[in-house]
Amino acid sequence: RLCGLSIDDVVKESIRCGRRRYDLGELFDVESLPGEEDSALYVPGSERFIGLGEGMASGTLDIDGPAGEGVGRGMTGGCARVLGSAGNLAGAGMAGGVLVVEGDVGGMAGGPRPGERRGMTGGELLVHGNAGGYTGSRQRSGLIAVRGLVGECPAYKMLAGTLLVCEGELNAAGFGMGRGTIIGLIAPTKALPTFRRDGFVQPVVLRLLWRRLKALGFPLPAGLDDARFVSFSGDLLSLHRGEWLLRHSG
């Protein structure tokens, strides 16, 4: 929401830090850089800053260091990059844009905002480290990609969208899942008993996903274009239209 504002207006915008809110001018020296676009914003990072990039609709935001809870919450456009780790609820309620976290994120990444039932409905959340529990909870659309490990119950009650996990097992992934896709690149992972094994597949659409992630600078393992996946469908306790795709190690 800072895009297009004058310097005088920017310093009056507030941000939550700890238990209270501060004007940006109280925390930062705000100045415009020669040759930079008005839509580009650079801020130092801190785990105490809550809601950095919340509601962002356009432009770019670079956070030089860690971010606290709720970074990129409710984004609808633009690109935010955290050059460190982020707290809980990163990208919660996203509807568009790209949020990149170079480090780890806490729990409920891409999930619903507090008091809401819908997780992210669009956009792309890229985590270069590990993600906490319930990543992608109630996700309805969009893409979440995690380069490292995820905590318990990823894609809990997912209704649509894609969750990609590059390392480690998926612990109770997709519980209550109605639709959507979970992709695991490291086997073995034991599927929930309410998911049915359907056989081996090589979805062509995954090549488009790999291409998009490479364009965004997201590191992927080698050999994915020719990889085979074991397909599971479920959750049988829900709509039974979701799918797991687990990379076959053979």
Side-chain angles (χ1 to χ4, degrees):
R1 63 174 181 262
L2 300 179
C3 295
L5 298 182
S6 67
I7 294 295
D8 291 339
D9 291 330
V10 168
V11 297
K12 296 176 183 177
E13 288 290 321
S14 65
I15 185 174
R16 185 177 167 191
C17 180
R19 295 185 177 181
R20 57 165 291 193
R21 299 188 71 86
Y22 297 85
D23 289 344
L24 291 179
E26 297 180 72
L27 301 174
F28 307 116
D29 293 326
V30 182
E31 60 182 13
S32 102
L33 300 176
E36 291 289 343
E37 298 180 2
D38 292 339
S39 59
L41 184 65
Y42 303 86
V43 298
S46 171
E47 296 176 352
R48 293 175 60 85
F49 293 154
I50 297 174
L52 287 174
E54 183 172 5
M56 183 175 176
S58 62
T60 61
L61 171 63
D62 287 325
I63 301 168
D64 188 9
E69 181 180 302
V71 63
R73 187 166 49 194
M75 283 181 65
T76 60
C79 179
R81 181 179 296 271
V82 182
L83 303 179
S85 296
N88 296 332
L89 296 169
M94 279 183 72
V98 179
L99 173 59
V100 180
V101 180
E102 299 285 355
D104 302 332
V105 296
M108 297 289 288
R113 290 183 283 189
E116 298 183 357
R117 296 181 58 85
R118 296 161 60 97
M120 66 185 291
T121 59
E124 296 161 313
L125 170 57
L126 310 180
V127 180
H128 288 236
N130 303 321
Y134 290 86
T135 292
S137 174
R138 298 183 183 273
Q139 183 180 353
R140 288 178 174 254
S141 188
L143 167 67
I144 301 175
V146 181
R147 184 65 184 87
L149 311 174
V150 292
E152 72 281 1
C153 295
Y156 172 77
K157 293 192 174 181
M158 172 190 267
L159 290 178
T162 301
L163 171 64
L164 167 69
V165 180
C166 295
E167 296 183 7
E169 295 191 10
L170 299 172
N171 180 16
F175 179 82
M177 178 181 186
R179 292 185 298 271
T181 303
I182 303 170
I183 305 170
L185 299 186
I186 299 295
T189 289
K190 185 177 180 180
L192 290 170
T194 50
F195 279 76
R196 181 185 67 199
R197 177 169 174 154
D198 297 323
F200 293 100
V201 294
Q202 287 183 293
V204 176
V205 69
L206 289 186
R207 296 188 180 184
L208 300 178
L209 175 60
W210 312 144
R211 188 180 305 171
R212 172 60 178 166
L213 288 171
K214 288 177 181 177
L216 292 171
F218 188 81
L220 290 169
L224 288 181
D225 284 344
D226 299 319
R228 290 202 306 165
F229 290 81
V230 183
S231 174
F232 296 83
S233 58
D235 186 336
L236 298 177
L237 298 178
S238 186
L239 296 177
H240 189 203
R241 296 179 182 175
E243 64 175 350
W244 275 33
L245 297 175
L246 301 180
R247 187 178 183 182
H248 182 51
S249 58

